[in-house]
Amino acid sequence: MTDRKDAPLKYDIRLLGRILGDVVRDHEGDAVFNTIERIRRTSVRFRRDADIAAENQLEKLTRSLDLQTTDRIIRAFSYFSHLANIAEDQHHIRRTRAHAIAGALPREGSMAYTLARSKAAGVSRKQIARFFSSALCVPVLTAHPTEVRRRSSINQEIELARLLDERDRARLTPDELSANRCGLRRVIATLWQTHILRDTRLKVIDEVINGLSYFDQTFLRELPRFYGALEDLLETEQDWSGIVLPSFLKIGSWIGGDRDGNPYVAAEALLSALKLQSGCALKYYLDELHQLGGELPLDDRLVGVSSSLLELSESSPDHAPQRAHEPYRRAISGMFARLAATMRILDHLEPQRHEIGSARPYDSAREAIADLDVIVSSLKTNGAPELASGRIRDLRRALDVFGFHLASIDLRQNSDVHERVVADLCAAARIEGDYLACDELRRIAVLRKEIVNPRPIVSAYAEYCDETKSELGILRAARESRLAYGDGAIANYIISKANSVSDVLEVILLLKEAGLHDPSQEKLALNVIPLFETIDDLRRCPVIMDALFDIPEYRELLKSRGDIQEVMLGYSDSNKDGGYVTSSWELYNAELALIEVFRRYGVRLRLFHGRGGSVGRGGGPSYQAILAQPEGAVDGAIRITEQGEVIAAKYSNPEVGRRNLEILAAATFEATVGTKRVKSVSSDFLAAMDDLSNHAFRAYRHLVYETEGFEAFFHESTVVGEIANLNIGSRPASRKSSRRIEDLRAIPWVFSWSQCRLMLPGWFGLGTGIRKWLQANPKGGMKLLRRMYRSWPFFKTMISNADMVMAKADVGIASRYARLVADRELSARIFERISLEFEESRAVILDITQQSELLESNPLLLRSLRNRFPYIDPLHHIQVELLRRHRAGDTDSQVAQGIHLTINGIAAGLRNSG
């Protein structure tokens, strides 16, 4: 049955592969095509038959290539992976549609499934209404790219997906089918002749523009459709009818506001980002209004019209005689004119279509929504309720979700910077002799006094360092932006490396100096959010928050934020610090402890999860991850970062994007009031995790931070140095000019391990942790672990994610990278330890899950990986050879370009690896 369901996927992959082959033959000649085919068949033979001779032949083939042919080979295998990804995404859409057409029961992860199960379990209307009234779900796009493709290539892939979708939607005539196939060939030919990589490093503004493309493609259209479908679903049930559905699912962004380690994000970048965002939103609204005007040519001689609608149409500058009896169109023309004026005032942009006459701009999106409500009300009360749905409903929802700012930009900066800026301000104002020399208690005393003092400490006559001027500049720009675009434009300030109470109070002082905190009214304009990242930070965060809430001045400010405190937890850096097992466990413990602290003070906890795409950075299936949170951790509100190539994977395709947004909303509902909420966890489960985490932590720390030569092994056996030279983002790969693991950003750390196929951050320490725990608990130990796997979502998710990431790993391929290490003895010693830990971790996963092979319980993903590996293997062989040449001093630009191309292809083949 599964094979029959997957037959269309196999057909699509073969079709795209054949077209790619034809394009390569036509553009590069038979010799290149035949070489590609030889390598492909050899790689398939090695993977399917475990033919060692084939692997040796593959290595010889890839080492004997000239650089020009190597480039063609890399691009061919890379593009195949990209095409396979598109086909798989389209197959998910195909299966979802087939499911709906068959009238099957709602699928897990949909709001229909969630609400149906909740109703069957006796969840009341009041509980459902309460959830929606206070819920908040926000995926936050970040400028942490491991997406190395150019926007032009992604656009071509979107067109390819559209053409595949066209084949599914209708039965095509022979001519239509031929035209479709020609379209597929045109796109693949265009891709083949387009340079995959960027020649120049991205600037912040480029990252903003790239991010906006997902709003154009997906968010602006699909989020309103999600809300419309949910409203209709609620109305179908008598018990739910009339429940108000606020815009609880929104999109956030760090792009243009995240300054942590990025010197290029300053006031100008923030203002430019908001201007571009606003222009994107207003252009969409104007386009929709233009279409809406054509859809509502209703004649007041034939239909009734409300007095409010007549008043709105009379205020319009549209006095054309041909529309004298079309009040709806005149009202819409008036709205168009006001939005056009708004675009000019806010963004200094000219609309593509000029308005019919001048009008005053809107002061806020709420005013535009009020005008739409007049139109909707008139339609509903005058016999045309069906016209009040569709485009006008979606436009109203879009205005409510996106406002004039499109996405709320979070500000983020490192606590060390705040500390230096406050010290500079205090020194100039002669408030404290040397703020940096003060201990924590003295700092808190100084800050408590100043945050309630209406007198500013910044003086126009004082001299400040460049860092201070830059920080004050971006905060003043934030205040300007909120006045122009509304409070939603910038609502959050995140403090990286927060490890003390003073780290939070310093930000409040800086907000006061920029006019974002008014001491006279005890009103704080932004949510101040500490980010706890290292293992030590996670362990101390409950103590820090307890001490913070115990400060009366802060507690009063929190009331102005509705007694809601957001806390961000860092998955990537905690993993780099303590390893996969301990990071997972300490994050869980931190949440439990925070829940208790917040409950004691009567403050509502909102968690912001700093997850990446890979398991080593908190990735994995979002639905299961949210449901694995401890009870009380979600409480109707969650924010989650979306990073790197995961943004493109989740949101490039509109239908896939809407499905991912719905999964986030459904999981948040389930974790708050649904039937899948985590109940209390037994003490023996908790004790077991404590012990095995301690063992895993020691194993991980001993390898990464205590093994002499490990830094050299890492730098020489991975592509971390080459990744730093890729033009994939505006920020440096390391926080400091250093080779130390501590200073390396988590993204290149994880990405590098995936490129050499060890995937070390996603599993190392698991095997040792469980083995040592079992040695201490020989009687019934494995039985308990299996029970934990079956009944505890946290443990099941931890093991399942390790299962997935280890299935993508390949120790044999990784051994080839290990041979790049100059010190052979060091390489052999460290690689043997890693290999033994891999086998031990693999064995305990199989034992706990009672599988005979990794991913046995997920045959679809297992089959997908097996089909991909023969196309990824040649890229690894070529990458190793090019790295060897590059590091031996070969300065040919084609060598460096080839390495970067293989990085792209391997990442595409593995997916969620960054």
Side-chain angles (χ1 to χ4, degrees):
M1 177 64 78
T2 303
D3 287 343
R4 184 165 59 82
K5 287 179 180 178
D6 290 343
L9 171 61
K10 291 180 181 177
Y11 176 84
D12 282 350
I13 291 176
R14 286 172 182 158
L15 171 65
L16 296 177
R18 279 198 301 271
I19 294 174
L20 176 62
D22 291 342
V23 167
V24 171
R25 183 191 283 112
D26 290 348
H27 286 270
E28 309 300 337
D30 287 336
V32 170
F33 174 80
N34 291 335
T35 301
I36 292 169
E37 274 299 288
R38 278 179 63 204
I39 291 172
R40 185 187 69 82
R41 286 195 296 268
T42 305
S43 186
V44 168
R45 197 166 76 245
F46 162 63
R47 275 291 168 182
R48 289 182 183 169
D49 306 328
D51 187 338
I52 301 301
E55 185 184 27
N56 293 333
Q57 186 182 354
L58 184 62
E59 185 178 10
K60 288 178 184 176
L61 274 170
T62 53
R63 292 188 73 168
S64 65
L65 301 171
D66 62 79
L67 288 175
Q68 190 172 14
T69 305
T70 297
D71 175 85
R72 305 315 190 256
I73 304 299
I74 296 169
R75 291 198 293 126
F77 284 100
S78 297
Y79 273 127
F80 181 84
S81 289
H82 286 296
L83 298 179
N85 290 345
I86 295 166
E88 285 190 358
D89 288 343
Q90 186 55 38
H91 189 59
H92 286 310
I93 294 170
R94 178 187 293 125
R95 294 307 312 154
T96 299
R97 293 185 69 244
H99 194 83
I101 290 168
L105 292 173
R107 305 176 84 177
E108 185 178 66
S110 68
M111 288 303 300
Y113 171 90
T114 294
L115 288 169
R117 282 179 59 92
S118 298
K119 184 181 179 184
V123 175
S124 69
R125 172 194 171 93
K126 186 176 180 181
Q127 287 175 286
I128 292 174
R130 188 188 303 126
F131 169 82
F132 286 124
S133 68
S134 61
L136 182 70
C137 303
V138 184
V140 181
L141 310 184
T142 75
H144 284 221
T146 48
E147 172 57 77
V148 298
R149 290 171 297 166
R150 295 167 59 205
R151 184 75 245 160
S152 52
S153 296
I154 294 175
N155 287 341
Q156 291 298 320
E157 292 180 12
I158 290 168
E159 173 61 11
L160 194 71
R162 187 196 67 77
L163 289 165
L164 284 180
D165 188 65
E166 182 179 78
R167 299 167 72 90
D168 275 339
R169 299 280 172 171
R171 188 172 179 183
L172 302 179
T173 67
D175 285 347
E176 290 168 341
L177 196 59
S178 176
N180 179 278
R181 191 181 287 256
C182 287
L184 291 172
R185 182 184 170 89
R186 273 195 304 275
V187 172
I188 293 174
T190 302
L191 283 169
W192 184 254
Q193 298 172 89
T194 300
H195 192 47
I196 300 176
L197 304 177
R198 303 181 187 95
D199 292 322
T200 56
R201 182 170 287 278
L202 278 179
K203 297 178 181 177
V204 175
I205 207 68
D206 298 320
E207 292 174 332
V208 174
I209 292 168
N210 283 349
L212 290 181
S213 63
Y214 298 104
F215 289 87
D216 286 329
Q217 290 154 209
T218 300
F219 300 132
L220 281 163
R221 292 167 177 80
E222 296 303 326
L223 255 180
R225 288 173 188 164
F226 160 78
Y227 282 111
L230 183 52
E231 283 177 331
D232 292 343
L233 176 63
L234 291 170
E235 286 302 310
T236 60
E237 289 287 341
Q238 186 175 356
D239 291 346
W240 304 335
S241 180
I243 289 178
V244 176
L245 188 62
S247 298
F248 68 98
L249 178 57
K250 299 185 177 185
I251 310 298
S253 176
W254 278 9
I255 311 173
D258 180 10
R259 315 189 303 291
D260 182 17
N262 193 338
Y264 306 110
V265 177
E268 184 181 353
L270 177 64
L271 292 172
S272 296
L274 279 164
K275 179 181 174 182
L276 285 168
Q277 286 190 179
S278 177
C280 176
L282 288 167
K283 179 184 178 299
Y284 173 76
Y285 302 151
L286 288 169
D287 288 345
E288 290 300 292
L289 279 174
H290 175 74
Q291 296 292 331
L292 188 61
E295 293 173 3
L296 291 177
L298 308 188
D299 194 308
D300 60 11
R301 292 168 295 188
L302 301 175
V303 298
V305 178
S306 72
S307 58
S308 297
L309 189 281
L310 281 175
E311 185 180 335
L312 186 61
S313 66
E314 290 301 320
S315 67
S316 169
D318 185 357
H319 303 299
Q322 65 268 32
R323 286 187 288 278
H325 290 285
E326 296 177 349
Y328 288 101
R329 293 184 77 174
R330 292 206 316 277
I332 292 167
S333 292
M335 288 190 66
F336 189 99
R338 293 192 68 182
L339 276 175
T342 305
M343 177 183 270
R344 287 193 189 91
I345 292 290
L346 284 182
D347 309 315
H348 310 292
L349 296 173
E350 280 296 317
Q352 289 181 334
R353 298 181 187 88
H354 284 287
E355 64 274 36
I356 207 160
S358 62
R360 64 183 177 85
Y362 284 112
D363 289 333
S364 69
R366 300 307 316 168
E367 283 190 18
I369 291 170
D371 284 353
L372 280 179
D373 285 343
V374 168
I375 298 171
V376 168
S377 177
S378 182
L379 289 169
K380 286 182 175 179
T381 56
N382 287 283
E386 64 278 5
L387 301 184
S389 60
R391 190 183 303 278
I392 194 168
R393 178 169 72 165
D394 287 350
L395 176 56
R396 187 198 184 283
R397 181 62 75 171
L399 276 160
D400 192 47
V401 172
F402 301 104
F404 291 161
H405 61 280
L406 190 70
S408 183
I409 297 181
D410 291 356
L411 303 181
R412 183 171 80 131
Q413 183 55 285
N414 194 290
S415 63
D416 291 343
V417 175
H418 302 141
E419 183 181 87
R420 292 193 296 268
V421 171
V422 169
D424 195 22
L425 296 180
C426 286
R430 299 182 181 177
I431 289 173
E432 189 68 27
D434 183 357
Y435 179 81
L436 292 178
C438 293
D439 62 19
E440 175 68 1
L441 289 178
R442 181 59 189 153
R443 288 186 184 188
I444 291 172
V446 171
L447 294 167
R448 284 179 66 178
K449 180 180 176 182
E450 291 302 325
I451 64 175
V452 297
N453 190 340
R455 166 197 43 81
I457 63 173
V458 173
S459 170
Y461 304 101
E463 275 297 317
Y464 302 109
C465 69
D466 289 342
E467 183 176 58
T468 298
K469 287 186 278 191
S470 177
E471 291 302 305
L472 292 175
I474 201 165
L475 290 177
R476 287 166 182 152
R479 182 174 180 274
E480 273 180 52
S481 302
R482 284 167 58 89
L483 291 172
Y485 298 107
D487 292 350
I490 298 172
N492 303 298
Y493 195 114
I494 294 149
I495 308 163
S496 299
K497 199 183 157 192
N499 52 33
S500 68
V501 169
S502 63
D503 288 340
V504 177
L505 298 183
E506 284 165 356
V507 170
I508 295 172
L509 176 60
L510 297 178
L511 293 179
K512 187 197 87 169
E513 297 305 311
L516 291 166
H517 158 45
D518 184 352
S520 63
Q521 298 182 24
E522 294 182 331
K523 188 174 182 182
L524 190 59
L526 306 184
N527 297 312
V528 178
I529 305 164
L531 165 54
F532 301 104
E533 300 175 87
T534 66
I535 298 299
D536 186 55
D537 290 344
L538 291 173
R539 289 170 176 170
R540 292 179 59 241
C541 71
V543 176
I544 293 169
M545 296 311 298
D546 192 315
L548 190 61
F549 291 161
D550 203 36
I551 295 174
E553 294 87 350
Y554 185 79
R555 198 66 187 80
E556 284 301 311
L557 290 176
L558 204 55
K559 289 178 182 176
S560 71
R561 305 302 305 168
D563 269 332
I564 298 172
Q565 172 71 59
E566 187 167 307
V567 172
M568 185 173 184
L569 302 177
Y571 287 65
S572 307
D573 282 289
S574 61
N575 180 294
K576 184 165 72 74
D577 185 32
Y580 173 63
V581 175
T582 301
S583 170
S584 302
W585 183 231
E586 293 301 337
L587 284 160
Y588 188 91
N589 281 330
E591 291 182 34
L592 284 174
L594 286 170
I595 291 165
E596 179 55 36
V597 170
F598 279 57
R599 186 178 290 134
R600 199 164 65 247
Y601 282 93
V603 176
R604 186 180 176 196
L605 171 64
R606 184 163 68 213
L607 285 171
F608 185 5
H609 299 269
R611 303 171 73 224
S614 63
V615 168
R617 297 184 54 234
S622 298
Y623 187 75
Q624 284 77 13
I626 294 172
L627 293 180
Q629 303 299 307
E631 186 174 15
V634 178
D635 193 23
I638 193 167
R639 297 209 306 146
I640 299 178
T641 52
E642 299 282 27
Q643 303 184 11
E645 82 284 0
V646 171
I647 297 175
K650 281 188 173 182
Y651 302 117
S652 284
N653 185 297
E655 284 197 55
V656 173
R658 187 172 67 193
R659 169 70 175 155
N660 279 303
L661 292 168
E662 184 171 5
I663 284 171
L664 176 59
T668 304
F669 183 95
E670 285 273 19
T672 305
V673 296
T675 59
K676 294 190 175 183
R677 280 179 295 165
V678 176
K679 307 303 179 187
S680 58
V681 180
S682 66
S683 58
D684 53 347
F685 287 10
L686 300 174
M689 265 309 305
D690 257 340
D691 288 346
L692 67 88
S693 172
N694 288 334
H695 293 308
F697 179 72
R698 284 194 287 271
Y700 175 84
R701 292 288 302 186
H702 186 259
L703 174 73
V704 175
Y705 294 102
E706 298 165 11
T707 298
E708 186 177 350
F710 182 82
E711 285 174 8
F713 175 86
F714 168 64
H715 281 274
E716 293 177 36
S717 69
T718 72
V719 293
V720 65
E722 289 71 22
I723 286 172
N725 294 322
L726 267 177
N727 297 310
I728 61 174
S730 65
R731 76 176 60 226
S734 286
R735 289 184 168 88
K736 299 176 184 176
S737 181
S738 150
R739 282 167 63 95
R740 292 184 351 131
I741 305 298
E742 292 92 330
D743 297 329
L744 186 70
R745 290 190 175 279
I747 295 167
W749 166 255
V750 173
F751 199 42
S752 299
W753 287 117
S754 70
Q755 285 286 309
C756 73
R757 291 289 287 285
L758 271 178
M759 311 289 192
L760 183 141
W763 56 268
F764 193 92
L766 179 66
T768 294
I770 290 177
R771 173 178 57 81
K772 290 197 171 183
W773 184 84
L774 286 171
Q775 287 172 351
N777 297 271
K779 286 191 176 181
M782 182 52 68
K783 188 176 180 182
L784 176 64
L785 292 176
R786 287 174 181 169
R787 190 154 56 87
M788 288 164 65
Y789 178 76
R790 288 193 305 271
S791 60
W792 188 13
F794 162 79
F795 191 74
K796 183 180 179 71
T797 299
M798 186 183 79
I799 296 296
S800 297
N801 284 341
D803 182 9
M804 176 186 71
V805 80
M806 291 187 74
K808 292 183 176 184
D810 190 304
V811 175
I813 284 174
S815 68
R816 296 184 177 277
Y817 288 84
R819 293 174 205 161
L820 294 170
V821 179
D823 187 333
R824 294 299 178 87
E825 189 277 329
L826 172 73
S827 176
R829 179 162 39 86
I830 292 179
F831 191 76
E832 183 181 15
R833 282 177 61 186
I834 294 173
S835 301
L836 289 172
E837 181 66 21
F838 183 89
E839 287 307 316
E840 194 151 54
S841 298
R842 178 179 174 277
V844 296
I845 287 173
L846 295 179
D847 207 353
I848 291 168
T849 60
Q850 296 180 283
Q851 300 178 125
S852 59
E853 62 177 333
L854 294 174
L855 279 185
E856 184 182 321
S857 59
N858 191 343
L860 189 64
L861 179 56
L862 179 60
R863 191 159 53 249
S864 171
L865 289 176
R866 283 178 173 169
N867 290 335
R868 286 166 178 272
F869 286 159
Y871 297 89
I872 306 173
D873 290 350
L875 295 176
H876 285 293
H877 285 279
I878 292 171
Q879 188 179 84
V880 168
E881 175 59 24
L882 292 176
L883 286 169
R884 185 180 287 111
R885 293 189 202 179
H886 182 63
R887 292 172 184 180
D890 192 330
T891 58
D892 193 313
S893 61
Q894 282 190 293
V895 172
Q897 178 176 283
I899 293 169
H900 291 167
L901 285 169
T902 58
I903 289 171
N904 170 273
I906 293 166
L910 295 173
R911 306 195 92 170
N912 72 330
S913 60

